[in-house]
């Protein structure tokens, strides 16, 4: 399988890590999570989420496919996540997250690299006592972790990421600008065809209001 360009030079690192017999990550929970979203009507298909963990090991396609949508086509959501998303097991805390996605609203294909600094990984390991928001009163306290990355993907190749977890307050980590993929959709393996056309609702919204570039 053809590797994304940013990962080619890391294959040797992966092989070296495997050869050294790296075991399961030493984490206080079984897995961490990645949640993917997009503004309403700005439909997205994610081709691949790849991770380089803090051991230097490369994991391809840990997540892909459809995303959830915010309640507004314009701007970022005021609140994100709650600890859901795709469970990422057998992978240590990330140092880099790569996302390759098709922005079906434009249409265009983008790659973005998201750097995860040390302080974020340290926050992911801190146990926090919090009232259980899934329970009605009285709400017992429980130990929770910030163990989910919520990534919102917007037209123009813009991505914004938050660290979330259950009933805990989210931490905004930053806004990242991706690059247009020269290979096009599906790494150039599908004759330039996108995963699917925008829904009739999305097409109607964009025809009437356009794509709100600049709001992200």
């Amino acid at each position: 399988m053809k590797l994304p360009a940013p990962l080619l030079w890391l294959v040797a690192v992966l092989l070296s890590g495997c050869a050294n017999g790296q075991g399961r990550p030493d984490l206080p929970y079984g897995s961490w999570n990645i949640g993917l979203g997009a503004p309403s009507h700005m439909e997205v298909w994610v081709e691949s989420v790849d991770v380089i963990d803090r051991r230097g090991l490369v994991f391809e396609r840990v997540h892909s496919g459809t995303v959830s949508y915010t309640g507004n086509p314009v701007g970022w959501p005021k609140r994100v996540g709650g600890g859901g998303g795709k469970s990422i097991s057998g992978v240590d805390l990330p140092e880099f997250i790569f996302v390759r996605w098709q922005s079906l609203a434009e249409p265009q294909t983008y790659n973005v690299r998201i750097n995860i600094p040390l302080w974020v990984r340290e926050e992911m390991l801190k146990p926090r006592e919090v009232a259980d928001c899934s329970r009605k009163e009285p709400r017992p306290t429980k130990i929770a972790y910030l163990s989910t990355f919520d990534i919102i993907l917007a037209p123009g190749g813009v991505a914004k990421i938050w660290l979330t977890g259950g009933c805990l307050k989210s931490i905004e980590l930053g806004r990242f600008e991706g690059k247009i993929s020269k290979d096009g959709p599906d790494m150039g393996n599908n004759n330039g065809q996108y995963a699917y056309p925008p829904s009739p609702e999305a097409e109607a919204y964009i025809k009437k209001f356009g794509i709100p570039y600049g709001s992200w």
Side-chain angles (χ1 to χ4, degrees):
M1 186 176 81
K2 185 178 179 182
L3 284 172
L7 297 182
L8 289 174
W9 64 277
L10 290 158
V11 172
V13 177
L14 171 61
L15 296 176
S16 173
C18 292
N20 290 334
Q22 296 283 354
R24 291 187 62 82
D26 182 17
L27 299 175
Y29 33 80
S31 62
W32 49 279
N33 308 288
I34 293 178
L36 298 170
S40 295
H41 303 309
M42 305 296 125
E43 293 176 345
V44 160
W45 173 262
V46 176
E47 293 188 355
S48 179
V49 178
D50 306 310
V51 170
I52 303 173
D53 73 11
R54 61 180 175 176
R55 300 171 295 180
L57 301 183
V58 180
F59 297 85
E60 292 184 76
R61 205 175 177 82
V62 299
H63 199 355
S64 61
T66 58
V67 305
S68 61
Y69 292 95
T70 68
N72 196 329
V74 181
W76 304 109
K78 292 182 179 180
R79 298 185 63 183
V80 295
K86 170 77 175 293
S87 293
I88 312 298
S89 59
V91 181
D92 211 331
L93 300 183
E95 186 170 357
F96 301 99
I97 298 174
F98 298 87
V99 185
R100 176 184 171 87
W101 79 99
Q102 298 177 16
S103 175
L104 303 174
E106 299 176 85
Q108 190 60 266
T109 307
Y110 297 100
N111 290 306
V112 69
R113 187 183 81 171
I114 299 171
N115 299 347
I116 308 299
L118 175 60
W119 72 265
V120 174
R121 295 191 292 276
E122 290 175 342
E123 290 291 333
M124 296 178 74
L125 296 174
K126 291 179 182 178
R128 291 170 166 84
E129 188 171 312
V130 63
D132 189 350
C133 59
S134 67
R135 301 279 296 275
K136 295 182 179 180
E137 298 293 348
R139 294 181 174 179
T141 59
K142 65 176 183 177
I143 297 299
Y145 292 87
L146 289 167
S147 59
T148 296
F149 293 100
D150 278 312
I151 305 171
I152 306 295
L153 304 167
V158 180
K160 200 168 189 178
I161 183 169
W162 292 260
L163 184 62
T164 71
C167 304
L168 298 169
K169 184 178 180 181
S170 302
I171 300 175
E172 183 179 314
L173 302 184
R175 176 184 180 276
F176 298 82
E177 294 188 7
K179 296 181 178 180
I180 294 173
S181 171
K182 295 179 180 179
D183 293 326
D186 195 29
M187 299 291 291
N189 295 321
N190 197 25
N191 298 319
Q193 296 297 309
Y194 286 82
Y196 52 85
S199 67
E201 294 80 6
E203 281 193 313
Y205 179 90
I206 293 170
K207 183 176 181 180
K208 183 175 181 179
F209 299 105
I211 296 175
Y213 295 110
S215 70
W216 304 295

